[in-house]
Amino acid sequence: MPPPREPPDEPDEIDLHGLSVEKALRRVAQELHTARVRGCKRLVVITGAGWGNRDGRPVLRPALEAWLRGPEGRALGVKDVQQAHRGGALDLRLD
């Protein structure tokens, strides 16, 4: 009998719609810590495209992306950050 198959490596997702940049960064830091403890290799962070704010420019995704690519993100195990879902999400590869 063959060994049981492992489930597919589906990434966890967190949705940050409606959060301020400060609250979103705090939430992502918590989720990255949890993902690291659980041994997750991917995390999808849904930010939304950002066109719904009064200035008509993305705010959350660019701030979050810069933070994740910086020393704070690396310290929390972020290896790579790619935009996904037409810019409305970030696909994170974790250590």
mmCIF file of all heavy atoms in Angstrom, residues 15-43:
data_model
loop_
_atom_site.group_PDB
_atom_site.id
_atom_site.type_symbol
_atom_site.label_atom_id
_atom_site.label_comp_id
_atom_site.label_asym_id
_atom_site.label_seq_id
_atom_site.Cartn_x
_atom_site.Cartn_y
_atom_site.Cartn_z
ATOM 1 N N ASP A 15 -7.114 38.797 4.648
ATOM 2 C CA ASP A 15 -7.760 39.897 3.950
ATOM 3 C C ASP A 15 -7.620 41.168 4.775
ATOM 4 O O ASP A 15 -8.070 41.217 5.920
ATOM 5 C CB ASP A 15 -9.231 39.560 3.725
ATOM 6 C CG ASP A 15 -9.923 40.528 2.795
ATOM 7 O OD1 ASP A 15 -9.427 41.656 2.606
ATOM 8 O OD2 ASP A 15 -10.979 40.158 2.257
ATOM 9 N N LEU A 16 -7.005 42.182 4.192
ATOM 10 C CA LEU A 16 -6.731 43.424 4.903
ATOM 11 C C LEU A 16 -7.638 44.573 4.461
ATOM 12 O O LEU A 16 -7.397 45.721 4.838
ATOM 13 C CB LEU A 16 -5.265 43.825 4.701
ATOM 14 C CG LEU A 16 -4.234 42.787 5.115
ATOM 15 C CD1 LEU A 16 -2.839 43.275 4.795
ATOM 16 C CD2 LEU A 16 -4.360 42.447 6.591
ATOM 17 N N HIS A 17 -8.660 44.270 3.670
ATOM 18 C CA HIS A 17 -9.574 45.321 3.218
ATOM 19 C C HIS A 17 -10.062 46.146 4.406
ATOM 20 O O HIS A 17 -10.454 45.597 5.431
ATOM 21 C CB HIS A 17 -10.807 44.714 2.523
ATOM 22 C CG HIS A 17 -10.580 44.367 1.099
ATOM 23 N ND1 HIS A 17 -10.321 43.081 0.708
ATOM 24 C CD2 HIS A 17 -10.587 45.131 -0.012
ATOM 25 C CE1 HIS A 17 -10.186 43.069 -0.598
ATOM 26 N NE2 HIS A 17 -10.339 44.301 -1.068
ATOM 27 N N GLY A 18 -10.023 47.458 4.261
ATOM 28 C CA GLY A 18 -10.575 48.349 5.267
ATOM 29 C C GLY A 18 -9.654 48.683 6.431
ATOM 30 O O GLY A 18 -10.018 49.487 7.274
ATOM 31 N N LEU A 19 -8.478 48.076 6.484
ATOM 32 C CA LEU A 19 -7.560 48.368 7.583
ATOM 33 C C LEU A 19 -6.649 49.535 7.217
ATOM 34 O O LEU A 19 -6.285 49.712 6.055
ATOM 35 C CB LEU A 19 -6.698 47.145 7.912
ATOM 36 C CG LEU A 19 -7.402 45.907 8.438
ATOM 37 C CD1 LEU A 19 -6.384 44.816 8.732
ATOM 38 C CD2 LEU A 19 -8.223 46.216 9.669
ATOM 39 N N SER A 20 -6.258 50.287 8.222
ATOM 40 C CA SER A 20 -5.246 51.327 8.013
ATOM 41 C C SER A 20 -3.908 50.641 7.790
ATOM 42 O O SER A 20 -3.741 49.450 8.097
ATOM 43 C CB SER A 20 -5.164 52.237 9.234
ATOM 44 O OG SER A 20 -4.653 51.508 10.345
ATOM 45 N N VAL A 21 -2.937 51.377 7.280
ATOM 46 C CA VAL A 21 -1.607 50.803 7.056
ATOM 47 C C VAL A 21 -1.037 50.275 8.368
ATOM 48 O O VAL A 21 -0.519 49.161 8.427
ATOM 49 C CB VAL A 21 -0.655 51.845 6.414
ATOM 50 C CG1 VAL A 21 0.773 51.322 6.380
ATOM 51 C CG2 VAL A 21 -1.119 52.212 5.013
ATOM 52 N N GLU A 22 -1.155 51.051 9.435
ATOM 53 C CA GLU A 22 -0.614 50.630 10.736
ATOM 54 C C GLU A 22 -1.245 49.320 11.215
ATOM 55 O O GLU A 22 -0.543 48.396 11.636
ATOM 56 C CB GLU A 22 -0.854 51.728 11.763
ATOM 57 C CG GLU A 22 -0.311 51.405 13.142
ATOM 58 C CD GLU A 22 -0.589 52.536 14.132
ATOM 59 O OE1 GLU A 22 -0.142 53.666 13.873
ATOM 60 O OE2 GLU A 22 -1.243 52.257 15.148
ATOM 61 N N LYS A 23 -2.562 49.231 11.140
ATOM 62 C CA LYS A 23 -3.248 48.005 11.584
ATOM 63 C C LYS A 23 -2.935 46.837 10.668
ATOM 64 O O LYS A 23 -2.784 45.698 11.123
ATOM 65 C CB LYS A 23 -4.749 48.240 11.659
ATOM 66 C CG LYS A 23 -5.149 49.111 12.821
ATOM 67 C CD LYS A 23 -6.638 49.301 12.883
ATOM 68 C CE LYS A 23 -6.990 50.220 14.057
ATOM 69 N NZ LYS A 23 -8.430 50.484 14.117
ATOM 70 N N ALA A 24 -2.817 47.101 9.376
ATOM 71 C CA ALA A 24 -2.501 46.039 8.427
ATOM 72 C C ALA A 24 -1.106 45.473 8.691
ATOM 73 O O ALA A 24 -0.917 44.255 8.662
ATOM 74 C CB ALA A 24 -2.604 46.566 7.003
ATOM 75 N N LEU A 25 -0.134 46.339 8.951
ATOM 76 C CA LEU A 25 1.218 45.864 9.235
ATOM 77 C C LEU A 25 1.250 45.007 10.501
ATOM 78 O O LEU A 25 1.923 43.972 10.544
ATOM 79 C CB LEU A 25 2.183 47.045 9.370
ATOM 80 C CG LEU A 25 2.475 47.815 8.081
ATOM 81 C CD1 LEU A 25 3.330 49.037 8.388
ATOM 82 C CD2 LEU A 25 3.136 46.931 7.052
ATOM 83 N N ARG A 26 0.518 45.428 11.507
ATOM 84 C CA ARG A 26 0.451 44.652 12.753
ATOM 85 C C ARG A 26 -0.170 43.270 12.490
ATOM 86 O O ARG A 26 0.329 42.248 12.963
ATOM 87 C CB ARG A 26 -0.361 45.423 13.789
ATOM 88 C CG ARG A 26 -0.187 44.886 15.189
ATOM 89 C CD ARG A 26 -0.847 45.748 16.252
ATOM 90 N NE ARG A 26 -0.659 47.173 16.019
ATOM 91 C CZ ARG A 26 -1.654 48.074 16.032
ATOM 92 N NH1 ARG A 26 -2.880 47.701 16.283
ATOM 93 N NH2 ARG A 26 -1.405 49.346 15.823
ATOM 94 N N ARG A 27 -1.242 43.256 11.722
ATOM 95 C CA ARG A 27 -1.931 41.992 11.422
ATOM 96 C C ARG A 27 -1.038 41.062 10.603
ATOM 97 O O ARG A 27 -0.966 39.861 10.861
ATOM 98 C CB ARG A 27 -3.228 42.300 10.673
ATOM 99 C CG ARG A 27 -3.948 41.108 10.125
ATOM 100 C CD ARG A 27 -4.937 40.535 11.121
ATOM 101 N NE ARG A 27 -5.447 39.269 10.667
ATOM 102 C CZ ARG A 27 -6.460 39.127 9.811
ATOM 103 N NH1 ARG A 27 -7.087 40.189 9.356
ATOM 104 N NH2 ARG A 27 -6.845 37.933 9.442
ATOM 105 N N VAL A 28 -0.346 41.614 9.619
ATOM 106 C CA VAL A 28 0.538 40.795 8.791
ATOM 107 C C VAL A 28 1.688 40.231 9.630
ATOM 108 O O VAL A 28 2.050 39.068 9.483
ATOM 109 C CB VAL A 28 1.063 41.590 7.579
ATOM 110 C CG1 VAL A 28 2.187 40.854 6.870
ATOM 111 C CG2 VAL A 28 -0.075 41.870 6.615
ATOM 112 N N ALA A 29 2.255 41.020 10.517
ATOM 113 C CA ALA A 29 3.326 40.534 11.392
ATOM 114 C C ALA A 29 2.838 39.356 12.231
ATOM 115 O O ALA A 29 3.543 38.352 12.372
ATOM 116 C CB ALA A 29 3.845 41.663 12.275
ATOM 117 N N GLN A 30 1.627 39.467 12.766
ATOM 118 C CA GLN A 30 1.052 38.368 13.555
ATOM 119 C C GLN A 30 0.861 37.123 12.699
ATOM 120 O O GLN A 30 1.189 36.008 13.116
ATOM 121 C CB GLN A 30 -0.284 38.791 14.168
ATOM 122 C CG GLN A 30 -0.166 39.837 15.235
ATOM 123 C CD GLN A 30 -1.518 40.424 15.621
ATOM 124 O OE1 GLN A 30 -2.517 40.291 14.907
ATOM 125 N NE2 GLN A 30 -1.551 41.104 16.753
ATOM 126 N N GLU A 31 0.314 37.318 11.500
ATOM 127 C CA GLU A 31 0.066 36.180 10.606
ATOM 128 C C GLU A 31 1.363 35.533 10.138
ATOM 129 O O GLU A 31 1.431 34.312 9.985
ATOM 130 C CB GLU A 31 -0.772 36.620 9.409
ATOM 131 C CG GLU A 31 -2.188 37.024 9.765
ATOM 132 C CD GLU A 31 -3.052 35.872 10.251
ATOM 133 O OE1 GLU A 31 -2.794 34.704 9.879
ATOM 134 O OE2 GLU A 31 -3.998 36.141 11.005
ATOM 135 N N LEU A 32 2.389 36.328 9.893
ATOM 136 C CA LEU A 32 3.681 35.763 9.496
ATOM 137 C C LEU A 32 4.279 34.927 10.622
ATOM 138 O O LEU A 32 4.843 33.857 10.372
ATOM 139 C CB LEU A 32 4.647 36.876 9.088
ATOM 140 C CG LEU A 32 4.391 37.499 7.724
ATOM 141 C CD1 LEU A 32 5.243 38.745 7.540
ATOM 142 C CD2 LEU A 32 4.658 36.498 6.605
ATOM 143 N N HIS A 33 4.151 35.406 11.842
ATOM 144 C CA HIS A 33 4.638 34.625 12.983
ATOM 145 C C HIS A 33 3.894 33.289 13.069
ATOM 146 O O HIS A 33 4.513 32.235 13.211
ATOM 147 C CB HIS A 33 4.484 35.413 14.279
ATOM 148 C CG HIS A 33 4.867 34.623 15.485
ATOM 149 N ND1 HIS A 33 6.181 34.331 15.799
ATOM 150 C CD2 HIS A 33 4.104 34.030 16.434
ATOM 151 C CE1 HIS A 33 6.205 33.586 16.891
ATOM 152 N NE2 HIS A 33 4.970 33.397 17.297
ATOM 153 N N THR A 34 2.577 33.342 12.939
ATOM 154 C CA THR A 34 1.770 32.119 12.990
ATOM 155 C C THR A 34 2.148 31.175 11.853
ATOM 156 O O THR A 34 2.296 29.965 12.068
ATOM 157 C CB THR A 34 0.269 32.469 12.920
ATOM 158 O OG1 THR A 34 -0.055 33.306 14.029
ATOM 159 C CG2 THR A 34 -0.599 31.231 12.945
ATOM 160 N N ALA A 35 2.310 31.711 10.653
ATOM 161 C CA ALA A 35 2.668 30.881 9.501
ATOM 162 C C ALA A 35 4.025 30.213 9.709
ATOM 163 O O ALA A 35 4.213 29.047 9.377
ATOM 164 C CB ALA A 35 2.689 31.736 8.234
ATOM 165 N N ARG A 36 4.941 30.949 10.286
ATOM 166 C CA ARG A 36 6.280 30.403 10.541
ATOM 167 C C ARG A 36 6.211 29.251 11.547
ATOM 168 O O ARG A 36 6.850 28.207 11.350
ATOM 169 C CB ARG A 36 7.181 31.511 11.058
ATOM 170 C CG ARG A 36 8.618 31.162 11.077
ATOM 171 C CD ARG A 36 9.411 32.363 11.511
ATOM 172 N NE ARG A 36 10.660 32.399 10.794
ATOM 173 C CZ ARG A 36 11.569 33.302 10.978
ATOM 174 N NH1 ARG A 36 11.371 34.281 11.830
ATOM 175 N NH2 ARG A 36 12.696 33.254 10.314
ATOM 176 N N VAL A 37 5.431 29.429 12.598
ATOM 177 C CA VAL A 37 5.284 28.383 13.612
ATOM 178 C C VAL A 37 4.656 27.133 12.997
ATOM 179 O O VAL A 37 5.055 26.012 13.302
ATOM 180 C CB VAL A 37 4.438 28.894 14.806
ATOM 181 C CG1 VAL A 37 4.020 27.766 15.719
ATOM 182 C CG2 VAL A 37 5.211 29.955 15.577
ATOM 183 N N ARG A 38 3.700 27.330 12.093
ATOM 184 C CA ARG A 38 3.019 26.205 11.455
ATOM 185 C C ARG A 38 3.795 25.593 10.309
ATOM 186 O O ARG A 38 3.403 24.576 9.764
ATOM 187 C CB ARG A 38 1.644 26.665 10.949
ATOM 188 C CG ARG A 38 0.709 26.992 12.089
ATOM 189 C CD ARG A 38 -0.651 27.463 11.628
ATOM 190 N NE ARG A 38 -1.154 26.683 10.527
ATOM 191 C CZ ARG A 38 -1.928 27.165 9.565
ATOM 192 N NH1 ARG A 38 -2.268 28.424 9.553
ATOM 193 N NH2 ARG A 38 -2.352 26.391 8.594
ATOM 194 N N GLY A 39 4.890 26.236 9.903
ATOM 195 C CA GLY A 39 5.704 25.704 8.820
ATOM 196 C C GLY A 39 5.164 26.003 7.432
ATOM 197 O O GLY A 39 5.535 25.321 6.476
ATOM 198 N N CYS A 40 4.315 27.005 7.300
ATOM 199 C CA CYS A 40 3.754 27.377 5.992
ATOM 200 C C CYS A 40 4.853 27.955 5.105
ATOM 201 O O CYS A 40 5.744 28.649 5.589
ATOM 202 C CB CYS A 40 2.646 28.407 6.146
ATOM 203 S SG CYS A 40 1.204 27.781 7.009
ATOM 204 N N LYS A 41 4.747 27.690 3.830
ATOM 205 C CA LYS A 41 5.729 28.188 2.865
ATOM 206 C C LYS A 41 5.189 29.337 2.022
ATOM 207 O O LYS A 41 5.947 29.999 1.326
ATOM 208 C CB LYS A 41 6.192 27.053 1.935
ATOM 209 C CG LYS A 41 6.908 25.943 2.681
ATOM 210 C CD LYS A 41 8.199 26.468 3.263
ATOM 211 C CE LYS A 41 8.941 25.384 4.018
ATOM 212 N NZ LYS A 41 10.028 25.916 4.808
ATOM 213 N N ARG A 42 3.861 29.557 2.051
ATOM 214 C CA ARG A 42 3.257 30.644 1.279
ATOM 215 C C ARG A 42 2.140 31.291 2.077
ATOM 216 O O ARG A 42 1.462 30.641 2.860
ATOM 217 C CB ARG A 42 2.657 30.128 -0.029
ATOM 218 C CG ARG A 42 3.675 29.780 -1.057
ATOM 219 C CD ARG A 42 3.049 29.295 -2.344
ATOM 220 N NE ARG A 42 2.178 30.299 -2.938
ATOM 221 C CZ ARG A 42 1.145 29.984 -3.718
ATOM 222 N NH1 ARG A 42 0.851 28.731 -3.970
ATOM 223 N NH2 ARG A 42 0.414 30.935 -4.243
ATOM 224 N N LEU A 43 1.947 32.577 1.810
ATOM 225 C CA LEU A 43 0.858 33.332 2.420
ATOM 226 C C LEU A 43 0.386 34.350 1.395
ATOM 227 O O LEU A 43 1.208 35.060 0.810
ATOM 228 C CB LEU A 43 1.342 34.041 3.689
ATOM 229 C CG LEU A 43 0.325 34.880 4.458
ATOM 230 C CD1 LEU A 43 -0.789 34.015 5.044
ATOM 231 C CD2 LEU A 43 1.019 35.665 5.553
#
